Amino acid sequence: MVGRLAGALAFAALAAACGGSSGLTSSQPAPSPVILADTSPGRFQVSVFVSMGGYDRTSRDSATLDINVTAGGHPIRFTRNEGVTCNGTALTRFVGAFEGTFPLDGISGKAMTCEYVSGTKSASVTLAMPRKLRILTPREGEAVSRGARTDITYDADPSGAPPWGVVAISADAKASALPMNTTSTHSALDTSTFTPGPGSIALTQQVILRGILAPAFRPVTGMANLMTSIQVVWR
């Protein structure tokens, strides 16, 4: 369920950035689920969301994959033996979605093949996963000097559209910056107002999953949200 919540939040943030409604002053009921007599793959739409990494030690080394299934804008309530396996791992079935968690290093930069099964019918979806985010400098646990230009270097998937957000946090302040340009691998942050002591540096990137191979389905869309962080000591 965590992956679907992250997907919803990422979508809401993306919509707001593009001028969409924030939804803070109005709401509408979610579409009701539907039951299809025929759940063969050509009957519905599929969207894939991948949450890769996280901002704490418990999540930074894992990835959550959600395959969301709708028909006419309504989530499908599966009532028979429909299922999805990805790289041989069975996903958990929910209303309108299948979800699974994977070791991040096991899927980073690799192809993932998922198979949907409904009775005697099956169909595959092959995804090219982006490579994971890595902060190269500073390193985990390093003492970092505060200043007007604290340089952060990183490795990010080049297929992701900029900006790649870089955020540094101290006990009582925060600084953020974008890459120097669309091909940059570093950012400079103003940490001069930080107080000495424990802090962190986080990196975020969104990648549209292109080239998804799913010939038996209607067009499949996909997006990945990549996150990572390190703990540092500001001095």
Side-chain angles (χ1 to χ4, degrees):
M1 298 296 286
V2 173
R4 278 183 292 164
L5 176 59
L9 293 175
F11 180 82
L14 186 61
C18 295
S21 171
S22 66
L24 296 178
T25 58
S26 64
S27 63
Q28 59 184 24
S32 58
V34 296
I35 297 176
L36 300 181
D38 180 3
T39 55
S40 55
R43 298 274 296 171
F44 42 74
Q45 298 81 44
V46 175
S47 62
V48 178
F49 181 81
V50 188
S51 178
M52 300 179 66
Y55 299 131
D56 54 61
R57 295 180 185 274
T58 62
S59 62
R60 68 175 63 165
D61 294 325
S62 65
T64 300
L65 170 69
D66 283 273
I67 298 179
N68 302 293
V69 186
T70 60
H74 293 262
I76 296 175
R77 185 186 299 277
F78 295 102
T79 59
R80 294 185 290 279
N81 63 343
E82 300 92 348
V84 173
T85 60
C86 294
N87 287 4
T89 297
L91 305 191
T92 301
R93 190 177 76 181
F94 298 97
V95 174
F98 298 88
E99 182 178 277
T101 301
F102 301 84
L104 182 56
D105 287 336
I107 68 170
S108 171
K110 302 175 182 178
M112 171 178 280
T113 298
C114 300
E115 184 178 25
Y116 168 76
V117 176
S118 174
T120 60
K121 299 177 181 180
S122 64
S124 64
V125 177
T126 300
L127 313 163
M129 292 294 179
R131 68 173 185 248
K132 69 179 183 180
L133 289 175
R134 292 190 303 141
I135 297 174
L136 303 178
T137 59
R139 298 181 179 179
E140 177 78 30
E142 185 175 339
V144 181
S145 298
R146 296 167 292 138
R149 289 184 60 85
T150 300
D151 197 55
I152 314 297
T153 64
Y154 49 83
D155 177 55
D157 194 291
S159 65
W164 299 331
V166 184
V167 177
I169 297 175
S170 69
D172 57 358
K174 179 173 73 172
S176 61
L178 302 179
M180 302 298 183
N181 53 61
T182 58
T183 60
S184 178
T185 57
H186 70 98
S187 295
L189 289 80
D190 183 359
T191 59
S192 58
T193 61
F194 284 15
T195 55
S200 64
I201 299 169
L203 180 62
T204 303
Q205 182 187 20
Q206 287 190 338
V207 178
I208 296 175
L209 300 178
R210 304 186 187 277
I212 299 174
L213 301 177
F217 292 91
R218 295 183 180 184
V220 178
T221 60
M223 186 181 75
N225 195 45
L226 287 69
M227 302 161 283
T228 192
S229 69
I230 60 170
Q231 300 298 310
V232 296
V233 178
W234 302 109
R235 65 179 183 185

